[in-house]
Structure formats: C-alpha cells, structure tokens
Amino acid sequence: MPDRPLIETVDLVKTYRVGSSTVKALDHFSIDIEEGEMVAIMGPSGSGKTSLLNLIGALDRPDSGTVRVKNVEIDRLGEEQRARFRKHNIGFIFQFFNLIPSLTAIENVLVPIMFEKEKPTRKAADLLERVGLGDRFDHLPGMLSGGERQRVAIARALINDPLIILADEPTGNIDSETAREIVSLFKELNDEGKTLVLATHDRLVAGRAKVMVKIRDGRMVRGKAHSRDGMMSLSPKEGGGREK
Ligand SMILES: Nc1ncnc2c1ncn2[C@@H]1O[C@H](COP(=O)(O)OP(=O)(O)O)[C@@H](O)[C@H]1O
Ligand SMILES: [Mg+2]
C-alpha cells in the first residue's frame, strides 16, 4: 500500500445554519498534510480556518467530504471513538488559551488526562519547564501574562505526546516578541517530528512554516512550499487540494 499523507481532507463542505440563513464555511476544501510537516493555513477572518481545524481535530463533522487521519476516516467514527482519537493523536492550542481559571498551571496541563487514575505530574512539570515556566507551576492563569498562558496551553497540548498539533491563531492575543518565542517553540516541536497545522493571519508565524496555504471563502486559493533551495510553487489540485 502506498504511503498516504498523515492528514487528508477530501472535498470538505461545512455549512452552518443560523435561523433561516446558511453560511458555507468550507467549500470543497481538500488538502494533504504529510507527517512531519509544519503547515500554515492563512486567510482573513471568516475564511474557514477554524472550521477546518475543528474537522481535522474531530471536534466537528463535515456536511460532506472526508477527513482521513492516519488512514482512519475520522468523520465516520462515533462520539466515543472520536474522543479517544483526539486524546491520543491531537494537541489543541487556541487563540484564547482556554485554560481553566481556577486551576494552577500544572493542573491545567493535566486537564486532558483528568479522568485517569495515574497523574503524570512529573511529566507535566517537565513540560512546563520546557516551555520556560519552571517557576510558575502553582500560578493561576489570571496571574500569568498572555504569552505565559499560551505556554501553559502548549504544555497541555503535549501531555499526551500527540502526533499532531493544531493551533488556531496561537499568537492572536500576544505581543510580537512573545509570538516569536512561541513560534520558535513550534519550530522545535516540528524538528522533533511533530506535525503542526497552524491557522493564522500572522505573517511571522506563517513565514516560519514549511508550507503555506491560503484559504478564502472556504476554498484554497494558493499553496506554497518553502524548500531549502528556494521556493516551490504549488497549485491547488482539482477540488482545491495541494500538490507536492
Ligand atoms: N458556529 C457557527 N455558527 C454559524 N456560523 C459560523 C459558526 N462558526 C463559523 N461560522 C461562520 O463560518 C465562516 C467561517 O468561520 P471560521 O471557520 O470561524 O473562519 P476563520 O477561523 O477563518 O475566521 C464565517 O462566515 C463564520 O461566520
Ligand atoms: Mg478562526
């Protein structure tokens, strides 16, 4: 069997109904993402970035089309299997951090495994140290800066050793200096073999990604790959996907 991409979306359509109106968030969106890639999905507000990440991360289901991750059609799984899939494969990072205000930094890092008997507290501590928060274990989110909160969120995303990290506007609420550090951290994770998909309209973030894909009105408008020997242009394949 030929190797398939780690993440494959084919002809994704996602619409939202609000009252009597419908919004098409994704319009036959196809993309292949290989294991070990760092891909930036760029597009203006409302272009469908969050909808796409939610489908790749099995937080939502498409109206039609397929999301295949590790060769499993995750859109066909039942709720319980989807939860298990997320837990073992995906680390999520959000624009507004989504930390629990009443929990300390280290407790927040442990949230994805809060129902497990054995709490890997040592690992959570190591992760916080790794993101530069070795002296903030017991701080509540309210005592931390935006950049520090996002680091806690990154440590939380790593607690299950996910194969894939999905980050939705990860630098949307932090200053540009801190954003630079966060992006370096992403780069490090990518160098270690993690696959990253970043939705962003921050050029700084997108510029560090190996692959940049542009989305508008739920459609891919342009894909670009960076390679060591210069830039390689990619054109959307039939159905809006990206060629290698
Ligand atoms: N839960 C929702 N209910 C209704 N409309 C939504 C919902 N989520 C997103 N949309 C609409 O779908 C389109 C794409 O949104 P989104 O995926 O959030 O784009 P982006 O993340 O690029 O800003 C937008 O027009 C948005 O208003
Ligand atoms: Mg969004």
Side-chain angles (χ1 to χ4, degrees):
M1 193 177 67
D3 272 353
R4 303 196 77 125
L6 178 63
I7 302 167
E8 228 180 328
T9 84
V10 185
D11 266 340
L12 286 182
V13 174
K14 178 73 193 174
T15 51
Y16 299 102
R17 257 162 288 277
V18 179
S20 58
S21 70
T22 57
V23 177
K24 199 175 236 182
L26 290 172
D27 188 5
H28 299 274
F29 192 93
S30 304
I31 189 171
D32 290 349
I33 297 173
E34 304 290 340
E35 183 163 3
E37 271 189 333
M38 179 163 165
V39 179
I41 311 282
M42 284 201 87
S45 181
S47 56
K49 303 183 294 298
T50 297
S51 302
L52 178 67
L53 291 194
N54 287 347
L55 294 180
I56 294 175
L59 287 173
D60 201 359
R61 286 177 198 272
D63 300 353
S64 62
T66 303
V67 185
R68 219 176 272 119
V69 178
K70 290 207 299 192
N71 220 2
V72 174
E73 291 195 14
I74 56 170
D75 48 290
R76 292 179 183 233
L77 301 177
E79 275 315 313
E80 220 169 286
Q81 285 174 300
R82 284 149 59 81
R84 199 171 317 128
F85 162 83
R86 279 196 297 272
K87 187 175 152 198
H88 292 292
N89 297 291
I90 310 276
F92 290 100
I93 295 164
F94 305 94
Q95 178 175 3
F96 298 102
F97 324 124
N98 293 15
L99 300 176
I100 298 177
S102 58
L103 298 182
T104 64
I106 199 157
E107 288 166 347
N108 265 290
V109 173
L110 289 164
V111 160
I113 43 178
M114 66 185 164
F115 296 114
E116 278 174 30
K117 282 195 213 96
E118 297 283 319
K119 299 275 188 293
T121 311
R122 183 66 246 167
K123 184 175 178 186
D126 288 346
L127 285 170
L128 281 176
E129 262 164 37
R130 155 135 214 219
V131 299
L133 294 178
D135 51 357
R136 298 283 196 283
F137 291 179
D138 298 321
H139 282 56
L140 295 172
M143 305 167 175
L144 299 170
S145 71
E148 288 168 340
R149 288 182 211 184
Q150 195 59 302
R151 287 162 200 268
V152 174
I154 293 171
R156 178 185 58 189
L158 295 172
I159 192 75
N160 280 323
D161 297 314
L163 200 56
I164 300 167
I165 294 176
L166 302 178
D168 195 358
E169 309 268 9
T171 59
N173 277 292
I174 50 188
D175 63 88
S176 57
E177 186 49 43
T178 313
R180 233 177 276 275
E181 290 164 20
I182 300 269
V183 177
S184 297
L185 200 53
F186 287 152
K187 196 85 189 149
E188 251 179 65
L189 294 170
N190 181 239
D191 288 342
E192 287 164 22
K194 300 244 183 261
T195 304
L196 281 92
V197 187
L198 315 168
T200 186
H201 44 240
D202 185 339
R203 301 215 149 262
L204 178 103
V205 179
R208 299 288 303 271
K210 286 181 197 147
V211 180
M212 203 196 291
V213 166
K214 293 207 173 180
I215 181 172
R216 183 178 286 270
D217 297 330
R219 290 177 154 270
M220 185 182 293
V221 288
R222 189 153 61 100
K224 240 187 201 175
H226 298 266
S227 70
R228 258 173 230 274
D229 347 281
M231 216 108 98
M232 193 166 54
S233 261
L234 300 164
S235 51
K237 71 184 173 194
E238 226 174 296
R242 179 168 60 73
E243 281 171 32
K244 279 234 108 178

